[in-house]
PDB file of all heavy atoms in Angstrom:
ATOM      1  N   HIS S  73     -13.182   5.882  -1.118  1.00  0.00           N
ATOM      2  CA  HIS S  73     -13.393   7.182  -1.697  1.00  0.00           C
ATOM      3  C   HIS S  73     -14.835   7.670  -1.262  1.00  0.00           C
ATOM      4  O   HIS S  73     -15.816   7.216  -1.881  1.00  0.00           O
ATOM      5  CB  HIS S  73     -13.353   7.168  -3.224  1.00  0.00           C
ATOM      6  CG  HIS S  73     -13.580   8.423  -3.978  1.00  0.00           C
ATOM      7  ND1 HIS S  73     -12.898   8.820  -5.105  1.00  0.00           N
ATOM      8  CD2 HIS S  73     -14.482   9.411  -3.726  1.00  0.00           C
ATOM      9  CE1 HIS S  73     -13.319   9.963  -5.509  1.00  0.00           C
ATOM     10  NE2 HIS S  73     -14.328  10.311  -4.698  1.00  0.00           N
ATOM     11  N   HIS S  75     -17.195  11.112   0.445  1.00  0.00           N
ATOM     12  CA  HIS S  75     -17.352  12.544   0.878  1.00  0.00           C
ATOM     13  C   HIS S  75     -18.433  12.424   1.987  1.00  0.00           C
ATOM     14  O   HIS S  75     -19.532  12.937   1.762  1.00  0.00           O
ATOM     15  CB  HIS S  75     -17.747  13.433  -0.230  1.00  0.00           C
ATOM     16  CG  HIS S  75     -16.893  13.365  -1.422  1.00  0.00           C
ATOM     17  ND1 HIS S  75     -16.077  14.409  -1.926  1.00  0.00           N
ATOM     18  CD2 HIS S  75     -16.805  12.401  -2.414  1.00  0.00           C
ATOM     19  CE1 HIS S  75     -15.514  14.042  -3.099  1.00  0.00           C
ATOM     20  NE2 HIS S  75     -15.943  12.777  -3.412  1.00  0.00           N
ATOM     21  N   ARG S  82     -29.209  17.180  -1.808  1.00  0.00           N
ATOM     22  CA  ARG S  82     -29.398  17.830  -3.030  1.00  0.00           C
ATOM     23  C   ARG S  82     -30.551  17.114  -3.888  1.00  0.00           C
ATOM     24  O   ARG S  82     -30.426  17.008  -5.106  1.00  0.00           O
ATOM     25  CB  ARG S  82     -28.161  17.951  -3.886  1.00  0.00           C
ATOM     26  CG  ARG S  82     -26.966  18.541  -3.071  1.00  0.00           C
ATOM     27  CD  ARG S  82     -26.267  19.639  -3.715  1.00  0.00           C
ATOM     28  NE  ARG S  82     -25.493  19.250  -4.927  1.00  0.00           N
ATOM     29  CZ  ARG S  82     -24.241  18.751  -4.892  1.00  0.00           C
ATOM     30  NH1 ARG S  82     -23.570  18.768  -3.763  1.00  0.00           N
ATOM     31  NH2 ARG S  82     -23.658  18.457  -5.983  1.00  0.00           N
ATOM     32  N   TYR S  95     -25.278  18.479 -14.792  1.00  0.00           N
ATOM     33  CA  TYR S  95     -24.479  18.646 -13.542  1.00  0.00           C
ATOM     34  C   TYR S  95     -23.566  19.834 -13.659  1.00  0.00           C
ATOM     35  O   TYR S  95     -23.510  20.680 -12.756  1.00  0.00           O
ATOM     36  CB  TYR S  95     -23.636  17.362 -13.321  1.00  0.00           C
ATOM     37  CG  TYR S  95     -22.803  17.392 -12.069  1.00  0.00           C
ATOM     38  CD1 TYR S  95     -23.371  17.399 -10.780  1.00  0.00           C
ATOM     39  CD2 TYR S  95     -21.338  17.433 -12.210  1.00  0.00           C
ATOM     40  CE1 TYR S  95     -22.506  17.340  -9.721  1.00  0.00           C
ATOM     41  CE2 TYR S  95     -20.553  17.396 -11.093  1.00  0.00           C
ATOM     42  CZ  TYR S  95     -21.178  17.355  -9.844  1.00  0.00           C
ATOM     43  OH  TYR S  95     -20.327  17.375  -8.755  1.00  0.00           O
ATOM     44  N   ILE S 105     -21.809  21.624  -5.777  1.00  0.00           N
ATOM     45  CA  ILE S 105     -20.984  21.562  -4.590  1.00  0.00           C
ATOM     46  C   ILE S 105     -21.115  22.795  -3.728  1.00  0.00           C
ATOM     47  O   ILE S 105     -21.268  22.636  -2.463  1.00  0.00           O
ATOM     48  CB  ILE S 105     -19.449  21.409  -5.045  1.00  0.00           C
ATOM     49  CG1 ILE S 105     -19.259  20.061  -5.761  1.00  0.00           C
ATOM     50  CG2 ILE S 105     -18.554  21.525  -3.827  1.00  0.00           C
ATOM     51  CD1 ILE S 105     -17.820  19.803  -6.382  1.00  0.00           C
ATOM     52  N   TYR S 145     -16.244  20.145   1.573  1.00  0.00           N
ATOM     53  CA  TYR S 145     -17.469  20.986   1.646  1.00  0.00           C
ATOM     54  C   TYR S 145     -17.391  22.107   2.673  1.00  0.00           C
ATOM     55  O   TYR S 145     -18.417  22.660   2.980  1.00  0.00           O
ATOM     56  CB  TYR S 145     -18.691  20.053   1.945  1.00  0.00           C
ATOM     57  CG  TYR S 145     -19.004  19.130   0.800  1.00  0.00           C
ATOM     58  CD1 TYR S 145     -18.974  17.684   1.079  1.00  0.00           C
ATOM     59  CD2 TYR S 145     -19.400  19.553  -0.499  1.00  0.00           C
ATOM     60  CE1 TYR S 145     -19.316  16.827   0.035  1.00  0.00           C
ATOM     61  CE2 TYR S 145     -19.669  18.666  -1.449  1.00  0.00           C
ATOM     62  CZ  TYR S 145     -19.669  17.225  -1.218  1.00  0.00           C
ATOM     63  OH  TYR S 145     -19.926  16.432  -2.188  1.00  0.00           O
ATOM     64  N   HIS S 178     -11.611  21.392  -4.017  1.00  0.00           N
ATOM     65  CA  HIS S 178     -12.809  20.705  -4.612  1.00  0.00           C
ATOM     66  C   HIS S 178     -13.666  21.609  -5.463  1.00  0.00           C
ATOM     67  O   HIS S 178     -14.103  21.221  -6.522  1.00  0.00           O
ATOM     68  CB  HIS S 178     -13.681  20.219  -3.417  1.00  0.00           C
ATOM     69  CG  HIS S 178     -14.686  19.187  -3.740  1.00  0.00           C
ATOM     70  ND1 HIS S 178     -15.742  18.930  -2.907  1.00  0.00           N
ATOM     71  CD2 HIS S 178     -14.854  18.412  -4.751  1.00  0.00           C
ATOM     72  CE1 HIS S 178     -16.577  17.978  -3.423  1.00  0.00           C
ATOM     73  NE2 HIS S 178     -15.996  17.623  -4.628  1.00  0.00           N
ATOM     74  N   PHE S 214      -9.876  18.206  -7.353  1.00  0.00           N
ATOM     75  CA  PHE S 214     -10.868  18.017  -8.454  1.00  0.00           C
ATOM     76  C   PHE S 214     -10.284  18.661  -9.638  1.00  0.00           C
ATOM     77  O   PHE S 214     -10.458  19.923  -9.769  1.00  0.00           O
ATOM     78  CB  PHE S 214     -12.178  18.545  -8.028  1.00  0.00           C
ATOM     79  CG  PHE S 214     -13.424  18.268  -8.969  1.00  0.00           C
ATOM     80  CD1 PHE S 214     -13.338  17.150  -9.829  1.00  0.00           C
ATOM     81  CD2 PHE S 214     -14.460  19.111  -9.035  1.00  0.00           C
ATOM     82  CE1 PHE S 214     -14.359  16.892 -10.691  1.00  0.00           C
ATOM     83  CE2 PHE S 214     -15.488  18.928  -9.913  1.00  0.00           C
ATOM     84  CZ  PHE S 214     -15.461  17.731 -10.806  1.00  0.00           C
ATOM     85  N   HIS S 242      -9.269  13.300  -8.257  1.00  0.00           N
ATOM     86  CA  HIS S 242     -10.518  13.192  -9.047  1.00  0.00           C
ATOM     87  C   HIS S 242     -10.063  13.546 -10.440  1.00  0.00           C
ATOM     88  O   HIS S 242      -9.922  14.757 -10.812  1.00  0.00           O
ATOM     89  CB  HIS S 242     -11.568  14.189  -8.553  1.00  0.00           C
ATOM     90  CG  HIS S 242     -12.307  13.787  -7.351  1.00  0.00           C
ATOM     91  ND1 HIS S 242     -11.626  13.773  -6.139  1.00  0.00           N
ATOM     92  CD2 HIS S 242     -13.519  13.331  -7.150  1.00  0.00           C
ATOM     93  CE1 HIS S 242     -12.628  13.345  -5.222  1.00  0.00           C
ATOM     94  NE2 HIS S 242     -13.751  13.091  -5.853  1.00  0.00           N
ATOM     95  N   GLN S 245     -13.017  12.874 -14.930  1.00  0.00           N
ATOM     96  CA  GLN S 245     -14.429  12.454 -14.700  1.00  0.00           C
ATOM     97  C   GLN S 245     -15.344  12.903 -15.804  1.00  0.00           C
ATOM     98  O   GLN S 245     -16.198  12.194 -16.320  1.00  0.00           O
ATOM     99  CB  GLN S 245     -14.874  13.039 -13.372  1.00  0.00           C
ATOM    100  CG  GLN S 245     -16.371  12.576 -13.046  1.00  0.00           C
ATOM    101  CD  GLN S 245     -17.059  13.234 -11.804  1.00  0.00           C
ATOM    102  OE1 GLN S 245     -16.432  14.158 -11.281  1.00  0.00           O
ATOM    103  NE2 GLN S 245     -18.135  12.773 -11.467  1.00  0.00           N
ATOM    104  N   HIS S 265     -12.463   8.071 -10.709  1.00  0.00           N
ATOM    105  CA  HIS S 265     -13.526   8.363 -11.777  1.00  0.00           C
ATOM    106  C   HIS S 265     -13.089   7.755 -13.076  1.00  0.00           C
ATOM    107  O   HIS S 265     -13.417   6.712 -13.447  1.00  0.00           O
ATOM    108  CB  HIS S 265     -13.869   9.816 -11.871  1.00  0.00           C
ATOM    109  CG  HIS S 265     -14.677  10.384 -10.715  1.00  0.00           C
ATOM    110  ND1 HIS S 265     -16.034  10.039 -10.550  1.00  0.00           N
ATOM    111  CD2 HIS S 265     -14.402  11.177  -9.709  1.00  0.00           C
ATOM    112  CE1 HIS S 265     -16.501  10.572  -9.493  1.00  0.00           C
ATOM    113  NE2 HIS S 265     -15.542  11.362  -8.923  1.00  0.00           N
ATOM    114  N   ASP S 317     -18.028   6.497  -3.551  1.00  0.00           N
ATOM    115  CA  ASP S 317     -17.932   7.987  -3.802  1.00  0.00           C
ATOM    116  C   ASP S 317     -19.132   8.598  -3.132  1.00  0.00           C
ATOM    117  O   ASP S 317     -19.728   9.565  -3.659  1.00  0.00           O
ATOM    118  CB  ASP S 317     -17.974   8.284  -5.339  1.00  0.00           C
ATOM    119  CG  ASP S 317     -17.734   9.710  -5.675  1.00  0.00           C
ATOM    120  OD1 ASP S 317     -17.130  10.463  -4.867  1.00  0.00           O
ATOM    121  OD2 ASP S 317     -18.048  10.145  -6.819  1.00  0.00           O
ATOM    122  N   ASN S 319     -21.570  10.890  -1.787  1.00  0.00           N
ATOM    123  CA  ASN S 319     -21.607  12.360  -1.667  1.00  0.00           C
ATOM    124  C   ASN S 319     -23.084  12.808  -2.102  1.00  0.00           C
ATOM    125  O   ASN S 319     -23.800  12.010  -2.715  1.00  0.00           O
ATOM    126  CB  ASN S 319     -20.540  13.076  -2.549  1.00  0.00           C
ATOM    127  CG  ASN S 319     -20.929  13.016  -4.056  1.00  0.00           C
ATOM    128  OD1 ASN S 319     -21.688  13.780  -4.497  1.00  0.00           O
ATOM    129  ND2 ASN S 319     -20.311  12.102  -4.776  1.00  0.00           N
ATOM    130  N   PRO S 320     -23.510  14.050  -1.726  1.00  0.00           N
ATOM    131  CA  PRO S 320     -24.880  14.385  -1.945  1.00  0.00           C
ATOM    132  C   PRO S 320     -25.274  14.705  -3.342  1.00  0.00           C
ATOM    133  O   PRO S 320     -26.349  14.852  -3.759  1.00  0.00           O
ATOM    134  CB  PRO S 320     -25.106  15.530  -1.016  1.00  0.00           C
ATOM    135  CG  PRO S 320     -23.778  16.202  -0.891  1.00  0.00           C
ATOM    136  CD  PRO S 320     -22.802  15.035  -0.967  1.00  0.00           C
ATOM    137  N   GLY S 321     -24.107  14.899  -4.193  1.00  0.00           N
ATOM    138  CA  GLY S 321     -24.408  15.548  -5.513  1.00  0.00           C
ATOM    139  C   GLY S 321     -24.401  14.449  -6.671  1.00  0.00           C
ATOM    140  O   GLY S 321     -25.245  14.471  -7.553  1.00  0.00           O
ATOM    141  N   THR S 322     -23.413  13.594  -6.597  1.00  0.00           N
ATOM    142  CA  THR S 322     -23.306  12.647  -7.693  1.00  0.00           C
ATOM    143  C   THR S 322     -23.449  11.219  -7.344  1.00  0.00           C
ATOM    144  O   THR S 322     -23.462  10.298  -8.147  1.00  0.00           O
ATOM    145  CB  THR S 322     -21.912  12.795  -8.452  1.00  0.00           C
ATOM    146  OG1 THR S 322     -20.896  12.302  -7.485  1.00  0.00           O
ATOM    147  CG2 THR S 322     -21.635  14.220  -8.741  1.00  0.00           C
TER     148      THR S 322
HETATM  149  O1  NIG C 501     -16.657  12.685  -6.562  1.00  0.00           O
HETATM  150  N1  NIG C 501     -16.331  15.304  -8.735  1.00  0.00           N
HETATM  151  C1  NIG C 501     -16.297  15.936  -7.654  1.00  0.00           C
HETATM  152  N2  NIG C 501     -16.633  15.596  -6.496  1.00  0.00           N
HETATM  153  C2  NIG C 501     -17.724  14.758  -6.181  1.00  0.00           C
HETATM  154  C3  NIG C 501     -19.051  15.343  -6.377  1.00  0.00           C
HETATM  155  C4  NIG C 501     -19.277  16.437  -5.434  1.00  0.00           C
HETATM  156  C5  NIG C 501     -20.722  17.032  -5.395  1.00  0.00           C
HETATM  157  O2  NIG C 501     -21.318  17.154  -6.492  1.00  0.00           O
HETATM  158  O3  NIG C 501     -21.099  17.448  -4.401  1.00  0.00           O
HETATM  159  C6  NIG C 501     -17.551  13.376  -6.946  1.00  0.00           C
HETATM  160  O4  NIG C 501     -18.348  13.108  -7.792  1.00  0.00           O
END
Side-chain angles (χ1 to χ4, degrees):
H73 179 143
H75 310 247
R82 308 232 292 274
Y95 179 69
I105 295 175
Y145 291 120
H178 193 199
F214 184 28
H242 282 72
Q245 180 187 11
H265 287 287
D317 189 18
N319 76 76
T322 69

